[in-house]
Amino acid sequence: METGTARGAGTEDFAFNHIRSQLPNQRCFGQNQFSAYFLSPNQFRPIASSVGALRAFTYRQISPLGPEQVDLDGRDAHYWHLLILDRERHCLAGCLRMGLSRWHGQEWDGSHSYLEHCYPGLDQVMRRRGLSYAEIGRTLVATPYQRTSPVLQMLLRAMASIPLATGHTTLMGMVAFNHHQHSERLYSSFLTAILQKPFGEDYGIPPARHPFPLKTEGSHETGLPPVADTLGELERILEQTFQESFRAPLLLKKYIRFGNAQAIGLSLARDFNQICEILMRCDLNQLTPRQHKEFVVSNIIPIWENAAQS
């Protein structure tokens, strides 16, 4: 989910001024004129409707079946939230929400986790394997910042830095893919390929609550190789085979580049915007030295140590 707007939703000034005036101690790192704030559920509550309005505007650009006015699914009060503010334009430039398994507490039952909702039993699988994980969701970059700004880079840095700093070694999040924009044969071939090496793996996760209705025979009918060596090569094969324009989701490309992420599942966002969601997993312990240098903030401020985790 990587599109949005910085103006027009009527939310930015309030969110900016509220955070700048009331939560200055929640700034955890910055870059150029941008500051990243990590808010606890309680700290996020006063600006929830503002961020939700920006989300709704953003996601309706991806799918018209998304929320019309405000995107707040009832789960936000149980997540931490990373907001990136532009101090020069005085607006919200990007955001995401994050759940951290080591902070779940004894009362946690998965009912407020979107990831657990989509894959019932996933948390139990991770616990049996002794793995702590960060759940990433509702990621967006506002339109003016998508091509030339460091906002997406900062979101990715937060995805790596905060989990590692809090003892979480696995990152999991879902990437939106609007399959309605393509022919059934093309998107079926793409999704079939993305679940195979080198892009995907069988991670032994529970079945999705709403499985994506994938017709895998499409790739065999066309003679399309089940995988390609790179996403760029896969895009070219699909365009040549089906004679239609195709680009893989930007966030999918970034996940793979920044953390060698693997696709481990597909589901249908039946409760959200009716498009495909690709579940990605990244082992943060396997970051290369180059990736670690690029994406891990060495001087991140551990503001969570002074904030309530509820």
Side-chain angles (χ1 to χ4, degrees):
M1 301 176 180
E2 63 277 356
T3 59
T5 181
R7 286 296 184 198
T11 66
E12 296 79 8
D13 289 339
F14 176 80
F16 181 88
N17 291 330
H18 177 84
I19 294 173
R20 288 277 290 176
S21 64
Q22 299 190 38
L23 302 174
N25 294 329
Q26 294 310 113
R27 181 183 183 276
C28 56
F29 70 97
Q31 185 172 341
N32 301 333
Q33 78 265 28
F34 301 98
S35 292
Y37 292 79
F38 196 44
L39 311 185
S40 72
N42 283 336
Q43 293 166 333
F44 178 76
R45 189 171 294 113
I47 62 169
S49 60
S50 302
V51 177
L54 178 59
R55 281 185 191 165
F57 185 92
T58 296
Y59 300 145
R60 285 189 67 81
Q61 294 182 40
I62 300 174
S63 169
L65 300 176
E68 292 188 7
Q69 299 297 327
V70 177
D71 171 39
L72 294 172
D73 62 2
R75 300 182 177 93
D76 286 292
H78 301 271
Y79 286 93
W80 284 65
H81 297 263
L82 192 289
L83 306 183
I84 297 180
L85 273 64
D86 183 339
R87 299 190 304 276
E88 292 184 358
R89 294 191 184 186
H90 285 217
C91 61
L92 180 62
C95 59
L96 59 79
R97 70 185 186 187
M98 184 181 298
L100 297 159
S101 67
R102 296 185 66 190
W103 294 359
H104 282 168
Q106 293 183 349
E107 72 284 357
W108 194 89
D109 62 2
S111 60
H112 300 295
S113 164
Y114 185 65
L115 183 61
E116 185 71 13
H117 169 79
C118 293
Y119 292 89
L122 181 57
D123 180 75
Q124 185 178 11
V125 168
M126 298 299 287
R127 288 179 180 275
R128 283 202 304 263
R129 296 174 181 174
L131 297 174
S132 57
Y133 65 94
E135 172 191 345
I136 305 298
R138 293 302 200 267
T139 304
L140 69 85
V141 175
T143 299
Y145 304 100
Q146 290 177 10
R147 296 188 180 277
T148 59
S149 82
V151 173
L152 181 54
Q153 179 87 351
M154 291 180 69
L155 290 172
L156 293 170
R157 296 179 78 195
M159 291 181 195
S161 303
I162 295 173
L164 284 174
T166 55
H168 297 81
T169 58
T170 300
L171 188 69
M172 290 194 289
M174 288 182 281
V175 175
F177 171 59
N178 189 353
H179 62 288
H180 299 295
Q181 295 178 339
H182 306 287
S183 66
E184 183 179 40
R185 296 174 71 198
L186 185 150
Y187 75 67
S188 294
S189 294
F190 168 67
L191 293 173
T192 299
I194 212 69
L195 289 175
Q196 302 179 45
K197 291 184 180 300
F199 312 112
E201 64 178 345
D202 182 359
Y203 196 60
I205 63 173
R209 181 185 300 273
H210 303 303
F212 186 80
L214 182 62
K215 295 186 177 180
T216 57
E217 67 272 12
S219 60
H220 301 296
E221 292 174 356
T222 62
L224 180 71
V227 295
D229 291 333
T230 66
L231 275 179
E233 181 182 353
L234 180 59
E235 289 173 334
R236 290 190 293 273
I237 292 173
L238 292 170
E239 287 189 323
Q240 294 169 3
T241 302
F242 299 102
Q243 294 299 297
E244 58 180 285
S245 178
F246 177 76
R247 289 294 181 269
L250 175 60
L251 192 56
L252 179 72
K253 296 178 179 179
K254 294 294 185 179
Y255 269 148
I256 292 175
R257 175 178 175 269
F258 110 90
N260 311 313
Q262 296 281 297
I264 61 174
L266 302 176
S267 62
L268 180 66
R270 186 175 296 174
D271 304 319
F272 181 45
N273 55 9
Q274 311 300 309
I275 63 178
C276 179
E277 291 183 316
I278 305 169
L279 177 58
M280 305 295 293
R281 183 195 73 88
C282 171
D283 183 351
L284 296 175
N285 283 332
Q286 298 302 313
L287 294 179
T288 66
R290 180 190 62 79
Q291 290 169 331
H292 197 279
K293 180 178 180 180
E294 184 175 358
F295 293 107
V296 177
V297 181
S298 59
N299 60 343
I300 192 167
I301 303 171
I303 52 81
W304 50 86
E305 294 179 355
N306 299 318
Q309 299 177 10
S310 62

